[in-house]
Amino acid sequence: MKLAIFGLGRMGANMARRLSRGGITVVAHNRSREPIDELLRDEEHIVPAYDEADVFRELEGPRVIWLMLPAGEITSQAIKRLLPQMSPGDVLVDGGNSRYSETMAHAERVEAAGVHFLDCGTSGGVWGLKNGYSLMVGGTKAGFAHIEPAIRVLAPTPDSGWGHVGPAGSGHFTKMIHNGIEYGMMQAMAEGLAVLRKKSEFDLDLAQVTELWREGSVVQSWLLDLTADALKQEGQGLEAIQPHVADSGEGRWTAIEAIDLGVAAPVMTLALQMRFASQDDEGYGNRVLAMMRNAFGGHVVQRRDES
């Protein structure tokens, strides 16, 4: 099998590596040439494509073009640019984190041109190269049949960790909810460790505690494995880590979707709100709260110039 990957960031480049090591030839394209050159040095089944015209010269029909690009306008523009160059029967895969509603609109336009469109929710992060990726694919069964050999290589095993989950948009929708669940799991773990650390009289070793939870515990998980390893490497105080947690669009979209559907999702929503709180360097809302407590109850307000 031979396919093209557009976008060689952390996920795209490692997916190209895993495909190459599985015997699939990857036509590698990126806006800058350095990631392409790096793949050429490291892997065997890589064909460089320094411009888009190279991609179409290297691929024979039916072509498979797999986008690993940032969600939003960049992905939309790439689809608009590529579609006129594609032929009926070709396959266009969006493997990024596009919002499912945008994906459905993309699919309608692409399928109208006779090109198969698939949305592939992809989970695995930087560990996907070694462990494989969880792949949630939406789109037609006919389109999926074209890429199934690549899916089997990318997945943890040829028979696990992947699936054709439904029509166009369902792959990205499933991945969106996956990320919302991830937010909640991470928040619960972080809060539990914060409570453990606050109980200073016990002088708990959190690296030890998380390590012992890894075996036989109800909360054992890959997230716990990563947390235990980080606490050992960074020290349980984590003094070198800034308390600022970024959020991806998918956490926000999950909360909005739950509201629109009338589904109670307080854990995922609150986990997102806690990330917002960590990003608030100004702290204006908390200053307003302190002012109100002083106004109605005479509670002391700590001024910034007070030590």
Side-chain angles (χ1 to χ4, degrees):
M1 186 179 181
K2 191 175 187 180
L3 59 80
I5 289 187
F6 272 58
L8 302 174
R10 285 177 296 179
M11 288 282 280
N14 277 349
M15 288 172 65
R17 289 184 174 91
R18 189 169 175 90
L19 288 167
S20 173
R21 294 172 193 182
I24 292 178
T25 299
V26 177
V27 180
H29 175 71
N30 195 68
R31 185 174 58 179
S32 58
R33 63 180 296 136
E34 290 80 8
I36 303 173
D37 293 337
E38 185 176 339
L39 283 175
L40 284 172
R41 289 193 299 268
D42 296 343
E43 307 298 336
E44 182 178 356
H45 300 286
I46 301 294
V47 176
Y50 293 107
D51 58 50
E52 291 181 2
D54 291 338
V55 173
F56 290 92
R57 281 192 292 267
E58 292 292 343
L59 290 177
E60 298 177 358
R63 306 179 187 93
V64 175
I65 296 178
W66 196 307
L67 305 181
M68 290 302 298
L69 299 171
E73 189 62 22
I74 292 176
T75 291
S76 296
Q77 289 300 320
I79 293 172
K80 290 178 183 178
R81 194 171 61 250
L82 291 169
L83 187 57
Q85 304 176 68
M86 301 182 75
S87 303
D90 286 350
V91 182
L92 184 60
V93 183
D94 180 3
N97 285 328
S98 295
R99 191 167 188 172
Y100 81 94
S101 53
E102 294 180 0
T103 295
M104 293 172 71
H106 293 326
E108 184 176 356
R109 182 166 61 253
V110 172
E111 295 280 352
V115 174
H116 297 290
F117 183 87
L118 300 167
D119 52 295
C120 183
T122 309
S123 180
V126 296
W127 294 89
L129 174 59
K130 177 183 177 182
N131 299 333
Y133 299 89
S134 174
L135 302 161
M136 302 144 262
V137 186
T140 64
K141 291 182 179 179
F144 180 74
H146 285 285
I147 69 164
E148 186 172 333
I151 293 290
R152 289 179 177 272
V153 171
L154 287 168
T157 76
D159 299 313
S160 67
W162 61 271
H164 177 246
V165 298
S170 64
H172 282 157
F173 184 82
T174 305
K175 175 58 164 49
M176 179 184 77
I177 303 304
H178 163 283
N179 279 27
I181 294 170
E182 177 186 298
Y183 274 42
M185 293 172 66
M186 292 172 70
Q187 184 66 30
M189 196 175 298
E191 290 177 9
L193 291 171
V195 174
L196 288 170
R197 180 165 172 78
K198 194 70 172 181
K199 195 67 172 176
S200 57
E201 66 194 81
F202 287 158
D203 193 25
L204 294 168
D205 182 344
L206 300 190
Q208 177 199 28
V209 171
T210 50
E211 185 64 37
L212 67 88
W213 284 351
R214 294 174 76 171
E215 301 292 339
S217 164
V218 174
V219 297
Q220 66 183 27
S221 64
W222 185 41
L223 282 174
L224 181 62
D225 293 342
L226 297 174
T227 303
D229 289 341
L231 287 169
K232 282 187 289 188
Q233 294 170 15
E234 296 283 348
Q236 64 175 334
L238 301 177
E239 288 85 358
I241 307 297
Q242 289 284 355
H244 183 283
V245 187
D247 68 284
S248 68
E250 290 183 301
R252 301 185 186 207
W253 301 338
T254 299
I256 293 168
E257 193 69 26
I259 292 169
D260 288 345
L261 292 173
V263 174
V267 173
M268 293 189 292
T269 303
L270 184 56
L272 173 65
Q273 295 293 332
M274 291 301 293
R275 294 198 181 194
F276 292 162
S278 81
Q279 299 165 20
D280 182 14
D281 296 327
E282 184 182 47
Y284 182 77
N286 288 333
R287 285 187 275 149
V288 172
L289 288 173
M291 174 271 296
M292 285 191 286
R293 290 183 77 245
N294 174 261
F296 71 72
H299 300 285
V300 174
V301 173
Q302 183 174 344
R303 302 289 178 176
R304 280 184 166 175
D305 56 356
E306 293 176 357
S307 57

